[in-house]
Amino acid sequence: QGDICCCFFDAAMEEQLYQEEEITAELSRIASGEGSGSLFLNYQPILELATNKIVGFEALARLQIPSLGLISPLQFIPITEKTKLIIPLGDSIILQALRFLNTLQNSGYADIGISINISAIQLLKHDFITHLLQMISSMQVDPQNICLEITESVFASNYQDINKVLGHLQSQGIQIAIDDFGTGYSSLARERELNINCLKIDKFFIDKLMTLTEEEAITGDIISLAHKLGHCVVAEGIEHERQLQYLRKFGCDKIQGFLFSKPLDEQAALSFLKAQT
Ligand code: C2E
Ligand code: MG
Ligand code: MG
Ligand code: MG
């Protein structure tokens, strides 16, 4: 590009750009009810350590496109946020999760909860709470069984606005979890004033438990602090027995991870639940 400016380009970059365009186009078709692909949910069991029982599932979005196959949410959620398609698609995700919660209730699992990941854009939409409460009432589910997960990085900006919405949600009986705790903007300093019920420790800290000693790992300190503030603690990404042993020792409340189960489709999630009772 002229005398003093150069720019790198390779085929992989072009491929990625094309893929992104294709995903964007498919997402907007799905949002208008026309797509040939599908946006659906998988459910990962959440286990309570004290009882060794499943107490809930986290709903995790999946995108299937005929031409590209299964796309990771790490790839398509940022696209839905950039294009604001997260508003209609997020509604569809919430509805699917609430429908599954309704199925669980009707199958005799009245105490099982559902955790739903929510983007800041959704949360800050002026009618989010009203709309959510309408969906909850139309699906005839108990707000107490719903937990909304908000990633920690969201608190970096709009802290006051977000926290206010979370307070309103809590007053309706909905649980709030701060997701990926410890990775982004540290909300530790404001931990006391956050309107949250639960803290999800990111896999980064869980991986550390494979190499660090009990004293070196700060995971135990995070758990103690959260408990002091009255929050429950969920650890994500447990793959090894050694991590589980540490987390039990630290008094962690709940765990989620491949050691226990991968995210499952609705039928498999129900079977998994049946198998333990
Ligand atoms: P997250 O909310 O932190 O979800 C946990 C992620 O860790 C999931 O990845 C899950 O499959 C994965 N995971 C759980 N246990 C293990 C383990 O033992 N080992 C490993 N390697 N991974 C484990 P997934 O489903 O790919 O989702 C990635 C992220 O995409 C989520 O992270 C969340 O931030 C976002 N996401 C997924 N679904 C939605 C959604 O419906 N809405 C929004 N806004 N974001 C979503
Ligand atoms: Mg999550
Ligand atoms: Mg997380
Ligand atoms: Mg994560």
Side-chain angles (χ1 to χ4, degrees):
Q1 288 191 346
D3 292 340
I4 51 163
C5 179
C6 75
C7 154
F8 291 99
F9 176 84
D10 65 32
M13 285 166 68
E14 189 176 22
E15 176 61 28
Q16 202 197 333
L17 217 65
Y18 276 130
Q19 256 200 30
E20 207 174 301
E21 270 175 22
E22 200 167 337
I23 295 170
T24 309
E26 188 63 36
L27 285 169
S28 63
R29 280 193 292 267
I30 293 175
S32 54
E34 292 163 4
S36 52
S38 62
L39 179 72
F40 59 97
L41 296 176
N42 275 353
Y43 299 93
Q44 187 176 35
I46 300 172
L47 181 89
E48 184 176 68
L49 283 182
T51 56
N52 275 324
K53 292 232 179 238
I54 298 169
V55 287
F57 291 95
E58 177 175 5
L60 293 158
R62 301 288 179 258
L63 176 67
Q64 176 82 46
I65 301 185
S67 58
L68 294 174
L70 196 62
I71 315 287
S72 160
L74 295 173
Q75 192 177 0
F76 75 81
I77 291 291
I79 298 178
T80 63
E81 289 172 340
K82 205 162 62 186
T83 55
K84 301 279 187 289
L85 283 167
I86 190 67
I87 299 293
L89 296 176
D91 279 355
S92 153
I93 287 169
I94 294 171
L95 270 176
Q96 289 182 50
L98 297 184
R99 194 169 296 128
F100 183 54
L101 185 58
N102 177 284
T103 304
L104 287 169
Q105 276 181 13
N106 293 335
S107 312
Y109 300 108
D111 296 332
I112 303 289
I114 278 286
S115 299
I116 310 172
N117 294 285
I118 301 289
S119 296
I121 302 171
Q122 289 173 277
L123 205 67
L124 291 173
K125 190 152 182 287
H126 66 96
D127 61 350
F128 177 74
I129 299 179
T130 329
H131 191 44
L132 176 69
L133 293 175
Q134 275 166 3
M135 291 193 272
I136 291 173
S137 120
S138 77
M139 284 294 155
Q140 298 175 297
V141 288
D142 186 350
Q144 306 274 355
N145 284 336
I146 301 167
C147 176
L148 302 185
E149 298 191 0
I150 321 293
T151 56
E152 188 192 29
S153 55
V154 158
F155 291 94
S157 56
N158 283 323
Y159 165 79
Q160 302 283 0
D161 294 340
I162 299 264
N163 207 34
K164 210 162 120 189
V165 178
L166 298 185
H168 285 158
L169 289 163
Q170 282 185 321
S171 71
Q172 300 296 321
I174 295 164
Q175 306 282 306
I176 305 294
I178 180 162
D179 205 352
D180 304 328
F181 187 82
T183 54
Y185 166 81
S186 171
S187 41
L188 215 57
R190 282 161 159 170
E191 182 69 9
R192 199 176 290 276
E193 34 182 301
L194 285 182
N195 294 320
I196 59 168
N197 306 85
C198 198
L199 191 147
K200 294 190 83 169
I201 302 182
D202 195 75
K203 184 171 185 302
F204 174 84
F205 294 99
I206 306 308
D207 288 343
K208 290 272 181 250
L209 299 179
M210 291 308 287
T211 49
L212 298 180
T213 66
E214 194 181 325
E215 290 71 33
E216 289 167 340
I218 65 159
T219 315
D221 303 303
I222 298 178
I223 295 171
S224 307
L225 179 79
H227 282 164
K228 264 194 196 119
L229 295 166
H231 303 147
C232 105
V233 182
V234 184
E236 304 191 282
I238 287 87
E239 293 177 345
H240 307 279
E241 201 59 47
R242 176 185 158 116
Q243 295 166 329
L244 186 58
Q245 279 165 14
Y246 268 149
L247 290 165
R248 277 193 195 282
K249 227 175 186 177
F250 295 150
C252 183
D253 303 292
K254 301 172 194 175
I255 60 143
Q256 227 181 305
F258 293 173
L259 177 68
F260 186 53
S261 170
K262 290 202 167 176
L264 307 165
D265 67 34
E266 197 167 316
Q267 275 315 310
L270 271 172
S271 306
F272 199 83
L273 201 52
K274 275 188 195 128
Q276 74 146 20
T277 45

